Amino acid sequence: MVTERNDAAAVTAAQPDNVAAVRLIVKQSGQAGERVNPYRLVAGGRRISLAALNRIIEIDTANLVAQVEPGVTLGTLNEALRQQGLRFVPGDTPVYRHKTLGEFFYEGCSNLSGVKYGFAKHFLMGSEVVLPSGELLSTGGKTVKNVTGYDFTRFFNAPYADLGITVKFLLKLLPLPEACHRRLVSLALPADAFTLAGQLRAEKIVPSVLVWSSGQSRKLTGDPAADRDWLWLELDGVAEEVAALEQRLDSLLAERQGVTVAAGNALEAVLGPLIQGYSAEAAALTDELKLPLTAQPAFVEEVKTMAEINRVKMGVFGQIGEGKLHLALSAWGDDEHRFIRDVLAATVRHGGWSAGKYRRLYSGDEAGPLDFLEKRLRKLLDPDAVLSSGREGQ
């Protein structure tokens, strides 16, 4: 996710409350030579708001799937699922509570529990997509055997793909865990967090959440007392196993002189500054940088030095167990763009890679391993660029 600063003055918004209305708007916009987009502002074009498509169509407890419209917030979705003893794992976090399901997949938001449960894209089993022509395409299904040949479900719902407008998501669900231990720990040095992550991996302890936040990133998002790094940890599973892992975690944290800031239900109340780092309200570049665990400490130190030299105010945070690091920035101007390009180059030097989101948003490239196929499909499905990417003028 890259925070955008666009002028919405010239944008008119349509607010359909059913799929047929979305199809009609897209079809008529194409016939009129008008550009539309449901998530990005298009100067002189039309913004389609999907807020009124906010139904949880079905919760299928037998098959562990749910059919959900894009305007449903993740907080609302998981509250409904909990009543059935279920959860949509990628969205079951306070970080994304106010984000809609459509925004979640369009922005390519990662699963904060990915180190244990895998990528968010694998929790999407099917979808219904309105094409630039106004036609409706169904992909995937309730079982894995419904997917053969090209995986169009994830292709059409790739980050910032703009190949269609998804109006229904078919989600994979999991039962709620028997037990969950949550804690937020304060650490004196960034190296302590990376060392602890390495120890957990060596002992085959797999946290459901392992998110690190530097003091600098929290200062940028409104925490004046951020003088130490934070590590947000969660363990879930069978009660006896979680209790045993909690004891071992206590020992490892004592070795690092970690201080528990909050635990259990009290944790969410103090997560605000960290949550802001993932929010569109902060100037942040998320889910872009991927680095090996062993390379992350040196990379973080180099980025800090680069920021000081370039006088860029920034902070680093992320899911270090998965190698995902993100940048929080105090501004979003030319200096920051130059700094980010330098950071992307440093990522490669440290044996990592970038996801291509920055290139998508600011250079107009599709980027990624399916770049060639995506460009051809876009030309075939949307020759008149009805579903504008909204990159112009950035």
Side-chain angles (χ1 to χ4, degrees):
M1 173 189 70
V2 176
T3 295
E4 300 175 64
R5 303 288 187 264
N6 288 14
D7 183 3
V11 178
T12 59
Q15 300 185 23
D17 60 2
N18 60 74
V19 174
V22 176
R23 296 178 63 186
L24 182 61
I25 290 168
V26 173
K27 183 177 181 179
Q28 290 178 339
S29 296
Q31 292 173 341
E34 192 175 46
R35 308 178 79 177
V36 295
N37 194 284
Y39 302 109
R40 312 279 304 280
L41 300 181
V42 183
R46 246 180 143 186
R47 176 81 177 269
I48 298 180
S49 170
L50 302 180
L53 271 73
N54 57 5
R55 295 182 304 145
I56 300 174
I57 300 169
E58 178 191 26
I59 298 176
D60 185 343
T61 57
N63 290 299
L64 294 178
V65 296
Q67 296 185 59
V68 186
E69 290 184 328
V72 176
T73 66
L74 293 170
T76 298
L77 173 60
N78 273 296
E79 185 59 36
L81 293 174
R82 283 191 194 94
Q83 296 176 18
Q84 305 289 332
L86 301 171
R87 59 177 174 157
F88 171 57
V89 172
D92 190 17
T93 167
V95 169
Y96 301 136
R97 173 173 295 162
H98 301 295
K99 192 176 293 293
T100 67
L101 187 62
E103 290 169 339
F104 176 81
F105 280 109
Y106 182 78
E107 294 172 2
C109 295
S110 62
N111 178 10
L112 299 194
S113 299
V115 69
K116 181 173 183 178
Y117 292 104
F119 298 125
K121 64 182 180 180
H122 296 310
F123 284 80
L124 181 59
M125 300 184 66
S127 62
E128 288 188 1
V129 182
V130 175
L131 299 176
S133 63
E135 297 173 281
L136 188 66
L137 173 71
S138 295
T139 71
K142 288 188 176 183
T143 60
V144 175
K145 67 181 181 180
N146 288 125
V147 181
T148 58
Y150 289 117
D151 185 353
F152 282 109
T153 295
R154 273 158 282 278
F155 196 74
F156 275 92
N157 292 284
Y160 305 103
D162 293 320
L163 293 168
I165 299 174
T166 301
V167 291
K168 183 191 295 183
F169 294 91
L170 184 62
L171 307 175
K172 173 184 175 181
L173 308 176
L174 290 179
L176 288 171
E178 183 179 312
C180 180
H181 171 75
R182 312 171 73 198
R183 98 167 55 180
L184 187 66
V185 178
S186 174
L187 299 167
L189 300 170
D192 291 334
F194 298 114
T195 299
L196 178 61
Q199 289 177 307
L200 293 173
R201 176 180 292 184
E203 297 189 23
K204 294 183 172 55
I205 298 174
V206 183
S208 52
V209 174
L210 183 62
V211 174
W212 164 74
S213 176
S214 66
Q216 295 98 318
S217 65
R218 297 201 328 281
K219 284 181 180 178
L220 292 177
T221 53
D223 187 354
D227 57 346
R228 288 164 65 97
D229 290 9
W230 275 0
L231 193 61
W232 169 15
L233 293 128
E234 292 192 14
L235 302 165
D236 65 18
V238 179
E240 291 183 1
E241 179 186 14
V242 170
L245 293 177
E246 183 181 350
Q247 290 184 348
R248 180 54 183 151
L249 181 59
D250 285 335
S251 300
L252 293 174
L253 288 172
E255 294 174 8
R256 308 260 72 81
Q257 297 182 333
V259 178
T260 297
V261 176
N265 294 332
L267 179 142
E268 190 172 326
V270 297
L271 277 179
L274 194 154
I275 291 173
Q276 278 292 94
Y278 287 90
S279 169
E281 296 176 12
L285 178 68
T286 63
D287 295 326
E288 176 73 64
L289 312 177
K290 321 285 183 178
L291 292 110
L293 177 59
T294 54
Q296 291 175 60
F299 172 80
V300 169
E301 290 304 315
E302 180 175 342
V303 169
K304 287 181 180 178
T305 300
M306 291 165 56
E308 292 174 359
I309 294 173
N310 291 278
R311 298 182 179 180
V312 170
K313 294 182 179 180
M314 69 94 215
V316 189
F317 62 102
Q319 300 97 272
I320 57 177
E322 300 171 74
K324 294 183 179 180
L325 294 179
H326 322 300
L327 300 178
L329 301 160
S330 63
W332 198 247
D334 291 340
D335 290 342
E336 283 72 27
H337 283 291
R338 283 191 293 269
F339 171 71
I340 287 174
R341 287 191 284 269
D342 290 342
V343 169
L344 296 181
T347 302
V348 176
R349 289 199 303 272
H350 286 270
W353 57 284
S354 62
K357 284 190 180 181
Y358 181 78
R359 286 174 54 200
R360 275 182 174 275
L361 290 169
Y362 288 95
S363 68
D365 291 345
E366 272 65 32
L370 296 179
D371 176 34
F372 175 71
L373 181 59
E374 183 173 342
K375 286 180 178 178
R376 293 196 64 179
L377 189 58
R378 186 189 300 280
K379 186 175 181 180
L380 176 66
L381 294 176
D382 195 9
D384 298 322
V386 175
L387 295 181
S388 167
S389 65
R391 299 182 183 106
E392 292 78 13
Q394 297 183 44

